[in-house]
Amino acid sequence: MTVTVLAAENIEKSYHFGTRSLEVLKRINFSLKRGDSVAIMGPSGSGKSTLLQVLGTMLRPDRGTVAIGGRNVVDLSDDELSKVRRRELGFVFQKFNLLSTLTAIDNVAWPLMINGQDKASSLERARMLLERVGLSARTSHYPRQLSGGEQQRVAIARSLVARPSIVFADEPTGSLDTKTGTQILELLKETVSAEGSALLMVTHDVAAASYCNGRLNLRDGQQC
Ligand code: ADP
Ligand code: MG
């Protein structure tokens, strides 16, 4: 049986400045099933990041619904939304966004400890994920002691640590050279699918999109 992990209907979003407004998302409909990997593609400024933020509960749409695990989340309070993000979603950013004062293993274990899991089992899960992304020998390194590709591997491990139903990634290879970027994409796709999560990724790289089994094309905020 295929399970829908995310369903968005008639999403609209505008940005306002002074008396002017910019319609960035125009009636977007989208759904993601367990195990899916989907690439959001389109020219710069077409609304990709805005859409990912709306679907990832980081930004509220003006209209429409976003259902995660069958529950519409657009009207939840900020506190409830952050709980949804912490417990059910994972994120990988272009700039890695690791905590500079924590080692690799503590960066990965941190979301579990925030969720109230005990330290020993959090560290055990973090160690297993770091091993899965090929960083067993770097668990005690701080972010500044790691290459960009290694930092993104840590971020991938962190995104999966709480067993999210969906991992969101906004141009995860945008800060990496082409060769490292390709390795990271393969790793992201493989690791997310091995963990049983769905992947939704913004990219403007056609090769990157080929790692996914679905595609959502945006142009001027519209699906095309
Ligand atoms: P993409 O990720 O496809 O490059 P974005 O979703 O970042 O596109 O942005 C879509 C459009 O919305 C762009 O024209 C951008 O300038 C504008 N935009 C993005 N964020 C804001 C904001 N916070 N305030 C006003 N305009 C914004
Ligand atoms: Mg963007």
Side-chain angles (χ1 to χ4, degrees), residues 15-17 22 24-25 42-51 53 170-171 202 218:
Y15 290 118
H16 304 277
F17 16 83
L22 176 69
V24 180
L25 298 176
S44 180
S46 57
K48 303 183 296 297
S49 293
T50 303
L51 179 59
Q53 286 174 48
D170 195 346
E171 309 215 23
V202 168
L218 275 186

mmCIF file of all heavy atoms in Angstrom, residues 15-17 22 24-25 42-51 53 170-171 202 218, ligand 1:
data_model
loop_
_atom_site.group_PDB
_atom_site.id
_atom_site.type_symbol
_atom_site.label_atom_id
_atom_site.label_comp_id
_atom_site.label_asym_id
_atom_site.label_seq_id
_atom_site.Cartn_x
_atom_site.Cartn_y
_atom_site.Cartn_z
ATOM 1 N N TYR A 15 4.552 37.807 -1.672
ATOM 2 C CA TYR A 15 5.359 38.663 -0.806
ATOM 3 C C TYR A 15 4.888 40.094 -1.016
ATOM 4 O O TYR A 15 4.569 40.485 -2.137
ATOM 5 C CB TYR A 15 6.844 38.555 -1.157
ATOM 6 C CG TYR A 15 7.462 37.224 -0.796
ATOM 7 C CD1 TYR A 15 8.006 36.394 -1.776
ATOM 8 C CD2 TYR A 15 7.531 36.805 0.537
ATOM 9 C CE1 TYR A 15 8.587 35.175 -1.443
ATOM 10 C CE2 TYR A 15 8.111 35.588 0.874
ATOM 11 C CZ TYR A 15 8.638 34.781 -0.124
ATOM 12 O OH TYR A 15 9.209 33.582 0.208
ATOM 13 N N HIS A 16 4.850 40.861 0.080
ATOM 14 C CA HIS A 16 4.354 42.243 -0.005
ATOM 15 C C HIS A 16 5.455 43.200 0.388
ATOM 16 O O HIS A 16 6.172 42.952 1.346
ATOM 17 C CB HIS A 16 3.164 42.429 0.932
ATOM 18 C CG HIS A 16 2.058 41.455 0.655
ATOM 19 N ND1 HIS A 16 1.123 41.652 -0.330
ATOM 20 C CD2 HIS A 16 1.777 40.240 1.199
ATOM 21 C CE1 HIS A 16 0.307 40.613 -0.366
ATOM 22 N NE2 HIS A 16 0.688 39.744 0.545
ATOM 23 N N PHE A 17 5.597 44.253 -0.356
ATOM 24 C CA PHE A 17 6.478 45.347 0.075
ATOM 25 C C PHE A 17 5.794 46.657 -0.273
ATOM 26 O O PHE A 17 5.496 46.927 -1.430
ATOM 27 C CB PHE A 17 7.873 45.274 -0.553
ATOM 28 C CG PHE A 17 7.984 44.368 -1.728
ATOM 29 C CD1 PHE A 17 7.616 44.818 -2.996
ATOM 30 C CD2 PHE A 17 8.442 43.057 -1.583
ATOM 31 C CE1 PHE A 17 7.707 43.977 -4.089
ATOM 32 C CE2 PHE A 17 8.515 42.219 -2.675
ATOM 33 C CZ PHE A 17 8.150 42.677 -3.931
ATOM 34 N N LEU A 22 4.025 40.613 -4.798
ATOM 35 C CA LEU A 22 4.574 39.709 -5.801
ATOM 36 C C LEU A 22 3.988 38.328 -5.543
ATOM 37 O O LEU A 22 4.166 37.749 -4.471
ATOM 38 C CB LEU A 22 6.102 39.674 -5.637
ATOM 39 C CG LEU A 22 6.895 38.721 -6.509
ATOM 40 C CD1 LEU A 22 6.862 39.189 -7.961
ATOM 41 C CD2 LEU A 22 8.339 38.643 -6.009
ATOM 42 N N VAL A 24 4.146 34.751 -5.732
ATOM 43 C CA VAL A 24 5.277 33.834 -5.949
ATOM 44 C C VAL A 24 4.825 32.398 -6.206
ATOM 45 O O VAL A 24 5.444 31.680 -6.988
ATOM 46 C CB VAL A 24 6.260 33.879 -4.765
ATOM 47 C CG1 VAL A 24 7.419 32.941 -4.988
ATOM 48 C CG2 VAL A 24 6.785 35.291 -4.577
ATOM 49 N N LEU A 25 3.728 31.971 -5.554
ATOM 50 C CA LEU A 25 3.198 30.626 -5.810
ATOM 51 C C LEU A 25 1.732 30.730 -6.203
ATOM 52 O O LEU A 25 0.945 31.379 -5.511
ATOM 53 C CB LEU A 25 3.348 29.739 -4.567
ATOM 54 C CG LEU A 25 4.780 29.488 -4.086
ATOM 55 C CD1 LEU A 25 4.764 28.686 -2.785
ATOM 56 C CD2 LEU A 25 5.611 28.770 -5.146
ATOM 57 N N GLY A 42 13.367 24.605 -11.883
ATOM 58 C CA GLY A 42 12.855 25.807 -12.518
ATOM 59 C C GLY A 42 13.906 26.894 -12.471
ATOM 60 O O GLY A 42 14.865 26.791 -11.706
ATOM 61 N N PRO A 43 13.718 27.952 -13.267
ATOM 62 C CA PRO A 43 14.708 29.028 -13.307
ATOM 63 C C PRO A 43 14.823 29.737 -11.957
ATOM 64 O O PRO A 43 13.924 29.621 -11.113
ATOM 65 C CB PRO A 43 14.160 30.001 -14.361
ATOM 66 C CG PRO A 43 12.993 29.350 -14.987
ATOM 67 C CD PRO A 43 12.588 28.187 -14.160
ATOM 68 N N SER A 44 15.920 30.463 -11.777
ATOM 69 C CA SER A 44 16.106 31.259 -10.579
ATOM 70 C C SER A 44 14.941 32.240 -10.431
ATOM 71 O O SER A 44 14.519 32.850 -11.407
ATOM 72 C CB SER A 44 17.436 32.007 -10.705
ATOM 73 O OG SER A 44 17.639 32.773 -9.574
ATOM 74 N N GLY A 45 14.397 32.347 -9.232
ATOM 75 C CA GLY A 45 13.291 33.271 -8.996
ATOM 76 C C GLY A 45 11.921 32.687 -9.290
ATOM 77 O O GLY A 45 10.902 33.369 -9.147
ATOM 78 N N SER A 46 11.853 31.410 -9.684
ATOM 79 C CA SER A 46 10.560 30.835 -10.059
ATOM 80 C C SER A 46 9.726 30.396 -8.851
ATOM 81 O O SER A 46 8.582 29.974 -9.003
ATOM 82 C CB SER A 46 10.751 29.662 -11.023
ATOM 83 O OG SER A 46 11.582 28.679 -10.459
ATOM 84 N N GLY A 47 10.322 30.446 -7.643
ATOM 85 C CA GLY A 47 9.551 30.127 -6.446
ATOM 86 C C GLY A 47 9.920 28.798 -5.795
ATOM 87 O O GLY A 47 9.228 28.353 -4.869
ATOM 88 N N LYS A 48 11.012 28.189 -6.220
ATOM 89 C CA LYS A 48 11.390 26.859 -5.720
ATOM 90 C C LYS A 48 11.609 26.865 -4.201
ATOM 91 O O LYS A 48 11.065 26.030 -3.484
ATOM 92 C CB LYS A 48 12.669 26.362 -6.414
ATOM 93 C CG LYS A 48 12.583 26.290 -7.929
ATOM 94 C CD LYS A 48 13.858 25.727 -8.546
ATOM 95 C CE LYS A 48 15.099 26.573 -8.328
ATOM 96 N NZ LYS A 48 15.028 27.922 -8.954
ATOM 97 N N SER A 49 12.444 27.803 -3.739
ATOM 98 C CA SER A 49 12.752 27.831 -2.301
ATOM 99 C C SER A 49 11.514 28.172 -1.488
ATOM 100 O O SER A 49 11.291 27.610 -0.409
ATOM 101 C CB SER A 49 13.857 28.852 -2.005
ATOM 102 O OG SER A 49 15.072 28.425 -2.572
ATOM 103 N N THR A 50 10.697 29.098 -2.014
ATOM 104 C CA THR A 50 9.460 29.458 -1.315
ATOM 105 C C THR A 50 8.562 28.231 -1.185
ATOM 106 O O THR A 50 8.020 27.954 -0.105
ATOM 107 C CB THR A 50 8.730 30.584 -2.079
ATOM 108 O OG1 THR A 50 9.624 31.693 -2.207
ATOM 109 C CG2 THR A 50 7.476 31.025 -1.345
ATOM 110 N N LEU A 51 8.428 27.459 -2.256
ATOM 111 C CA LEU A 51 7.589 26.264 -2.211
ATOM 112 C C LEU A 51 8.139 25.252 -1.209
ATOM 113 O O LEU A 51 7.387 24.675 -0.406
ATOM 114 C CB LEU A 51 7.478 25.629 -3.607
ATOM 115 C CG LEU A 51 6.641 24.357 -3.676
ATOM 116 C CD1 LEU A 51 5.203 24.599 -3.213
ATOM 117 C CD2 LEU A 51 6.655 23.770 -5.090
ATOM 118 N N GLN A 53 9.902 25.820 1.392
ATOM 119 C CA GLN A 53 9.676 26.322 2.754
ATOM 120 C C GLN A 53 8.220 26.165 3.173
ATOM 121 O O GLN A 53 7.940 25.850 4.336
ATOM 122 C CB GLN A 53 10.092 27.790 2.852
ATOM 123 C CG GLN A 53 11.606 27.953 2.853
ATOM 124 C CD GLN A 53 12.016 29.412 2.793
ATOM 125 O OE1 GLN A 53 11.499 30.237 3.535
ATOM 126 N NE2 GLN A 53 12.907 29.736 1.885
ATOM 127 N N ASP A 170 17.350 22.055 0.014
ATOM 128 C CA ASP A 170 17.349 23.184 -0.919
ATOM 129 C C ASP A 170 18.749 23.366 -1.501
ATOM 130 O O ASP A 170 19.649 23.823 -0.814
ATOM 131 C CB ASP A 170 16.889 24.468 -0.215
ATOM 132 C CG ASP A 170 16.518 25.559 -1.226
ATOM 133 O OD1 ASP A 170 16.865 25.413 -2.416
ATOM 134 O OD2 ASP A 170 15.890 26.552 -0.818
ATOM 135 N N GLU A 171 18.919 22.988 -2.745
ATOM 136 C CA GLU A 171 20.208 23.046 -3.434
ATOM 137 C C GLU A 171 21.345 22.522 -2.545
ATOM 138 O O GLU A 171 22.292 23.240 -2.233
ATOM 139 C CB GLU A 171 20.483 24.486 -3.887
ATOM 140 C CG GLU A 171 19.290 25.043 -4.664
ATOM 141 C CD GLU A 171 19.689 25.973 -5.789
ATOM 142 O OE1 GLU A 171 20.841 25.858 -6.263
ATOM 143 O OE2 GLU A 171 18.842 26.778 -6.201
ATOM 144 N N VAL A 202 15.193 20.756 -3.973
ATOM 145 C CA VAL A 202 15.286 21.817 -4.970
ATOM 146 C C VAL A 202 16.647 21.740 -5.633
ATOM 147 O O VAL A 202 17.669 21.599 -4.959
ATOM 148 C CB VAL A 202 15.162 23.219 -4.313
ATOM 149 C CG1 VAL A 202 15.551 24.305 -5.307
ATOM 150 C CG2 VAL A 202 13.752 23.452 -3.800
ATOM 151 N N LEU A 218 8.627 24.321 -12.002
ATOM 152 C CA LEU A 218 8.003 25.614 -11.695
ATOM 153 C C LEU A 218 8.474 26.654 -12.702
ATOM 154 O O LEU A 218 9.637 26.655 -13.114
ATOM 155 C CB LEU A 218 8.442 26.101 -10.312
ATOM 156 C CG LEU A 218 7.720 25.635 -9.062
ATOM 157 C CD1 LEU A 218 8.266 26.393 -7.861
ATOM 158 C CD2 LEU A 218 6.225 25.845 -9.173
HETATM 159 P P1 ADP B 1 13.959 30.324 -6.371
HETATM 160 O O1 ADP B 1 14.305 29.510 -5.185
HETATM 161 O O2 ADP B 1 13.255 29.556 -7.453
HETATM 162 O O3 ADP B 1 15.138 31.045 -6.930
HETATM 163 P P2 ADP B 1 12.475 31.977 -4.488
HETATM 164 O O4 ADP B 1 11.378 31.142 -3.965
HETATM 165 O O5 ADP B 1 13.652 32.172 -3.612
HETATM 166 O O6 ADP B 1 12.909 31.439 -5.941
HETATM 167 O O7 ADP B 1 11.907 33.427 -4.835
HETATM 168 C C1 ADP B 1 10.822 33.616 -5.726
HETATM 169 C C2 ADP B 1 10.606 35.110 -5.904
HETATM 170 O O8 ADP B 1 10.202 35.691 -4.667
HETATM 171 C C3 ADP B 1 11.857 35.846 -6.328
HETATM 172 O O9 ADP B 1 11.485 36.807 -7.278
HETATM 173 C C4 ADP B 1 12.356 36.469 -5.050
HETATM 174 O O10 ADP B 1 13.051 37.666 -5.323
HETATM 175 C C5 ADP B 1 11.083 36.719 -4.270
HETATM 176 N N1 ADP B 1 11.299 36.597 -2.822
HETATM 177 C C6 ADP B 1 11.815 35.540 -2.180
HETATM 178 N N2 ADP B 1 11.825 35.713 -0.845
HETATM 179 C C7 ADP B 1 11.289 36.947 -0.626
HETATM 180 C C8 ADP B 1 11.011 37.732 0.546
HETATM 181 N N3 ADP B 1 11.280 37.258 1.771
HETATM 182 N N4 ADP B 1 10.438 38.950 0.360
HETATM 183 C C9 ADP B 1 10.148 39.414 -0.872
HETATM 184 N N5 ADP B 1 10.383 38.736 -2.004
HETATM 185 C C10 ADP B 1 10.941 37.515 -1.898
#
